[in-house]
Amino acid sequence: MSEKTEPPVTPFTIGDPLARPSHPVEVPDFDEEWTVDKGFTWVFYGEENTTLTRPVIIADGFNHGKSNLKELYEFLEGEDYPLISELRRRGKDVILLGFDNRTDSILTNSRAVEGTIREAIARRSGDERLVVGGFSMGGLITRYTLARMETDFHEDEHQTAVYFSFDTPHRGASIPVGVQAFAYLLPYGLDLKPHPFEQQMNSQAARQMLWRHYDKKTQKIDVAPERIALLDELDRVGQWPRIPRKLAVANGRGDGIGLPDVEPGEVALRLDVRYPGTTFYTQAQGDDVTAAFLYRKFPPTERTITTSGFPELDGAPGGTLATYEILADSMVQAGGEADLRHPHVCFVPSVSAVDILDFERQEDLYARVDGLDPAQSGLDEFRCSSTTTPHTLPTEELCTWLMDRF
């Protein structure tokens, strides 16, 4: 290792919080396993079912690399509410859909959703219509796929009765731009590939999903061209599928209250030893606002990340992500020190998860969603959490609301 090169940093990524539950979760044997273009599935029959009868397709969300369906099962079954068991108890056949590459383009991974829908229709006993949706970006991929199949094929090609999304960034997600920029200061691995976090932040999926993206080459913060292209493609297919009943839930609150302890312009995380003096601030309004100061010893790099015209994103109502906690833990594991002030910040604003408002403006980001006319949304019905909860956490409140409408 050259003394002019930063020592390795343990691989980490920031995405869906698919942390293992605090208690063991038994993952049963699946009843069927399918391979589809760009993806793969595990199928668990509903109680009393001996064949695929009442299919519910659940697509995985955004993270780095290939889906891990065992971890997805544990997460959906584990910490707060046993979603998979409850679906099966109600006679639903659960189809977990994973992607070969979760950072691939939404348009590319749409092929896995289409393949799974067609496979479910071909294998289904009887004529029960499908329930199709997903968690986080999985909800966006399934939304696009259903709309595309209606547009490009027969209008009822997908034979789907209900579409659902669980804390999906319909109008974008937020990862602090200072954190995005920091990804490009991390050292390459022994395989000479970029750090996994850099790969994740620079991926097609991240560029399509994020409300604002930090570009490595230009060092500018803007709407990524890939996101603009995705929005154009959604326009082409009519934005939403027309035939299914469209449902969505948000892990954030709907009363305009987010994270009161996360005040704008405060230190969220300060690093020492590794990247000494590097400091991340909670997002504040205004022009030329410092979002982060980044410092690397080898090769020497200093960079101040500023924003203009941003709302107060980090404390907004929405599903939260342990963004700074993940970053702090990785730095400590790499031999550094971390002064962590705000472990969790907003990732998917409530207004985005229920497709009710864009959030460039402060008043829209903090709007009381529960008081808005649902006709402003592309959805038929939606529900926000009564308390702020982690992004995609399957709580009893949100899960039962959804299942009662399947």
Side-chain angles (χ1 to χ4, degrees):
M1 177 72 65
S2 168
E3 63 181 17
K4 294 185 178 181
T5 303
E6 191 76 21
V9 173
T10 304
F12 70 93
T13 59
I14 295 177
D16 288 345
L18 297 181
R20 293 187 182 277
S22 57
H23 57 275
V25 173
E26 180 180 356
V27 180
D29 293 336
F30 44 76
D31 294 294
E32 297 184 28
E33 183 179 23
W34 312 339
T35 299
V36 296
D37 188 19
K38 303 298 179 181
F40 52 99
T41 70
W42 285 0
V43 182
F44 301 89
Y45 295 158
E47 290 185 9
E48 309 300 328
N49 295 350
T50 57
T51 60
L52 187 70
T53 308
R54 304 175 67 193
V56 176
I57 297 172
I58 302 176
D60 196 8
F62 172 68
N63 212 318
H64 183 261
K66 186 176 182 179
S67 294
N68 184 321
L69 293 186
K70 180 176 183 295
E71 291 182 357
L72 179 60
Y73 186 104
E74 291 171 339
F75 178 71
L76 298 179
E77 186 70 6
E79 196 60 39
D80 192 85
Y81 185 74
L83 173 59
I84 296 177
S85 291
E86 285 301 312
L87 282 168
R88 298 178 72 191
R89 185 181 64 80
R90 295 181 182 219
K92 300 292 188 180
D93 306 307
V94 176
I95 303 171
L96 296 184
L97 168 58
F99 301 103
D100 294 337
N101 182 1
R102 287 175 289 183
T103 57
D104 220 336
S105 162
I106 288 170
L107 277 61
T108 297
N109 281 337
S110 172
R111 289 150 59 181
V113 176
E114 180 183 343
T116 301
I117 289 171
R118 294 189 184 281
E119 194 74 20
I121 292 170
R123 292 172 178 258
R124 174 190 56 185
S125 297
D127 58 2
E128 180 91 7
R129 294 176 69 80
L130 278 57
V131 175
V132 178
F135 282 64
S136 190
M137 185 173 277
L140 196 53
I141 301 170
T142 49
R143 164 191 163 185
Y144 167 68
T145 303
L146 292 171
R148 178 177 60 78
M149 291 179 74
E150 289 181 0
T151 300
D152 294 349
F153 303 103
H154 184 271
E155 64 178 6
D156 197 24
E157 188 84 4
H158 50 61
Q159 298 184 34
T160 297
V162 176
Y163 159 81
F164 75 94
S165 66
F166 209 111
D167 216 38
T168 289
H170 290 295
R171 302 208 184 191
S174 172
I175 290 177
V177 290
V179 174
Q180 295 183 46
F182 182 72
Y184 303 112
L185 299 188
L186 296 170
Y188 278 35
L190 297 177
D191 58 2
L192 302 182
K193 293 182 179 179
H195 190 279
F197 185 41
E198 175 180 341
Q199 295 180 45
Q200 185 186 25
M201 289 298 96
N202 201 33
S203 68
Q204 289 281 316
R207 289 170 172 269
Q208 291 175 324
M209 173 186 71
L210 291 174
W211 174 72
R212 293 292 183 269
H213 184 263
Y214 178 89
D215 188 84
K216 177 182 180 180
K217 292 181 179 179
T218 65
Q219 297 182 20
K220 292 182 178 180
I221 302 164
D222 208 341
V223 181
E226 292 84 353
R227 178 164 179 78
I228 294 172
L230 171 66
L231 297 176
D232 288 344
E233 176 64 8
L234 283 170
D235 281 340
R236 184 189 74 82
V237 299
Q239 285 289 333
W240 291 87
R242 297 177 297 278
I243 294 175
R245 181 166 179 77
K246 296 174 284 292
L247 309 173
V249 295
N251 283 105
R253 293 167 62 155
D255 58 3
I257 297 175
L259 299 160
D261 293 339
V262 181
E263 294 285 345
E266 293 184 338
V267 172
L269 172 64
R270 180 176 285 120
L271 304 179
D272 204 353
V273 182
R274 297 298 302 267
Y275 307 94
T278 289
T279 306
F280 303 91
Y281 300 91
T282 54
Q283 183 64 55
Q285 297 185 76
D287 294 329
D288 294 322
V289 171
T290 298
F293 171 74
L294 310 179
Y295 176 77
R296 178 178 63 190
K297 289 182 179 179
F298 307 114
T301 303
E302 288 188 17
R303 191 168 297 157
T304 300
I305 308 301
T306 62
T307 61
S308 294
F310 275 43
E312 296 167 5
L313 288 161
D314 293 334
T320 62
L321 200 61
T323 304
Y324 289 114
E325 183 177 12
I326 294 169
L327 186 54
D329 287 349
S330 70
M331 293 298 106
V332 171
Q333 291 176 21
E337 296 178 2
D339 177 10
L340 178 61
R341 311 280 183 88
H342 294 294
H344 304 264
V345 292
C346 176
F347 178 48
V348 176
S350 297
V351 293
S352 176
V354 300
D355 187 52
I356 198 78
L357 288 169
D358 292 322
F359 52 90
E360 285 86 353
R361 302 190 309 167
Q362 177 81 0
E363 57 267 35
D364 291 340
L365 179 62
Y366 283 79
R368 294 178 60 90
V369 173
D370 292 340
L372 297 176
D373 183 355
Q376 292 179 237
S377 169
L379 298 155
D380 294 304
E381 201 173 357
F382 60 75
R383 175 71 176 264
C384 292
S385 177
S386 58
T387 60
T388 299
T389 51
H391 172 58
T392 67
L393 182 70
T395 64
E396 180 175 1
E397 174 190 21
L398 298 180
C399 291
T400 54
W401 184 89
L402 274 177
M403 289 188 297
D404 287 347
R405 288 158 176 78
F406 284 178

